[in-house]
Amino acid sequence: MEAVSPARKCRILPAGPDALAAARSALLAGEAVAIPTETVYGLAADATNGEAVARIFESKQRPSFNPLICHVTGIDMAERFARFDPLSRKLAEHFWPGALTLVLPLREGHAIHPLVTAGLDTVAVRAPQGFGAELIAAIGRPLAAPSANRSGRISPTTAQAVADSLGDAISLVIDGGPTTVGVESTIVKVEDGVIHLLRPGGVAAEDIEAVAGKTLQRAQAGSAIQAPGMLASHYAPNARMRLNAKDIEPGEALLGFGPQRIAGAEKARAVLVLSATGDLVEAAANLFDYMGRLDASGAACIAVEPIPEHGLGEAINDRLRRAAAPRGQE
Ligand code: TXA
Ligand code: MG
């Protein structure tokens, strides 16, 4: 039976063949759909589609772009875009599908949109159980999904909790009943044979240690590996960044927004416009890619046109401010 959440426009469909078909077509059309996993409900979008991923941030009203977990059917799908060291492979073989997320280096030429990884050269990957697994298999590509709650709220473990938190921002929630694990996945990253615990979660550290035959390293507070999404240095291009530019200075590249260019734009070394129509979803999807391309133009400075602070503009400006922050500071 299909339920419509009272006073909200989002549909709640019970997990099953109809829900699978509805979620599949919504995701292929670039929408974000809330789905059950064994840990918590996730707000999923096609990980190869930047605008779809931008809609996740828009729906959650996140004031910043943190990297998201890529959900896969298993090691085979993950290998299309990420590289496994032997220890990560052993952990995936043992714990997947399940509540373990591995941070792995991205492969050259991968199709994961940079908004998923927030421009990092690593990607967080996990294979969920149940409906999520079936859905990813039906779509044949990875799904980016953070927990399906509004930013700053607790992660939802029922479809109703998702609807209560995000019901006015998304159109479809798949109800798979209460989640069985109830907390987010454990996140680890293997580096030089050392397993770093980035986030405790649904798989106990002791169980990982038993399989790996070694102790986990707890990340130090403030260390680079613990919270990559918060570090200014990860977003710093080689070029300086000049925000809210009103004109162009000699040798600068220009990152534009909206229909109109600032004075002197024709003299810029390179120009890329995040969204000519002023669409913040489109702008978010282009942000990391365009910053990288303008940086590669060799300009010493990238001037950035003003971007409004509403909707996704807040996260875009947050990212730009980090990129413009003085170097050597975090
Ligand atoms: O159980 C879960 O993990 C749920 C379900 C939906 O799968 N997802 C979830 O996603 O909790 P989210 O976005 O709320 O948390 C993702 C975490 C963030 O702490 C983020 O910093 C970290 O994963 N992360 C993502 N990519 C990373 C990377 N390349 N390196 C280090 N940490 C990363
Ligand atoms: Mg979360």
Side-chain angles (χ1 to χ4, degrees):
M1 189 192 64
E2 176 175 328
V4 176
S5 192
R8 296 202 164 87
K9 62 179 183 189
C10 89
R11 285 196 304 161
I12 303 178
L13 287 179
D18 291 351
L20 193 68
R24 181 176 181 276
S25 55
L27 288 164
L28 289 176
E31 287 176 42
V33 176
I35 61 165
T37 82
E38 72 275 53
T39 57
V40 299
Y41 277 72
L43 184 58
D46 176 352
T48 65
N49 178 339
E51 291 196 19
V53 176
R55 285 196 189 95
I56 292 177
F57 291 99
E58 188 186 42
S59 305
K60 282 183 63 105
Q61 298 184 340
R62 270 208 76 97
S64 60
F65 297 123
N66 61 327
L68 307 177
I69 295 172
C70 254
H71 297 73
V72 295
T73 47
I75 293 175
D76 284 357
M77 184 182 278
E79 278 194 311
R80 291 193 216 152
F81 57 88
R83 280 185 282 114
F84 285 81
D85 60 277
L87 194 46
S88 294
R89 181 180 300 275
K90 186 174 181 182
L91 294 176
E93 282 169 351
H94 191 88
F95 290 104
W96 283 6
L100 179 70
T101 294
L102 299 165
V103 174
L104 302 171
L106 279 164
R107 245 180 228 291
E108 192 96 0
H110 67 85
I112 303 299
H113 193 275
L115 200 51
V116 174
T117 57
L120 297 169
D121 54 11
T122 55
V123 59
V125 196
R126 115 174 159 88
Q129 291 174 5
F131 183 86
E134 281 177 60
L135 181 60
I136 299 161
I139 291 175
R141 18 184 134 145
L143 291 178
S147 50
N149 50 286
R150 220 167 272 270
S151 188
R153 308 283 181 77
I154 57 165
S155 298
T157 56
T158 63
Q160 193 56 52
V162 177
D164 290 345
S165 181
L166 292 177
D168 52 3
I170 61 178
S171 56
L172 183 57
V173 180
I174 309 302
D175 187 353
T179 62
T180 53
V181 176
V183 295
E184 290 96 338
S185 60
T186 303
I187 306 181
V188 298
K189 180 179 187 181
V190 176
E191 266 183 339
D192 302 325
V194 177
I195 310 173
H196 298 269
L197 178 66
L198 305 190
R199 180 178 76 180
V203 173
E206 292 81 352
D207 294 346
I208 299 171
E209 290 176 336
V211 170
K214 54 172 75 177
T215 325
L216 297 191
Q217 293 296 305
R218 265 79 175 170
Q220 303 292 306
S223 75
I225 200 164
Q226 193 177 27
M230 301 318 291
L231 295 178
S233 55
H234 277 107
Y235 302 99
N238 293 315
R240 281 191 304 114
M241 305 277 294
R242 195 164 65 81
L243 308 188
N244 296 309
K246 301 283 184 288
D247 53 20
I248 285 289
E249 292 168 13
E252 284 185 329
L254 175 62
L255 187 60
F257 178 83
Q260 228 118 48
R261 303 284 66 79
I262 54 175
E266 65 288 347
K267 292 182 303 202
R269 181 163 182 144
V271 181
L272 287 172
V273 178
L274 289 169
S275 168
T277 57
D279 176 350
L280 288 163
V281 172
E282 183 186 15
N286 287 329
L287 181 64
F288 290 104
D289 183 30
Y290 285 11
M291 268 171 55
R293 281 162 61 179
L294 290 180
D295 200 25
S297 77
C301 184
I302 301 170
V304 186
E305 291 181 354
I307 293 166
E309 270 291 340
H310 62 82
L312 278 177
E314 188 181 358
I316 294 171
N317 282 312
D318 170 78
R319 192 48 74 230
L320 288 168
R321 278 191 289 271
R322 288 175 199 276
R327 301 302 145 80
Q329 278 186 241
E330 286 174 346

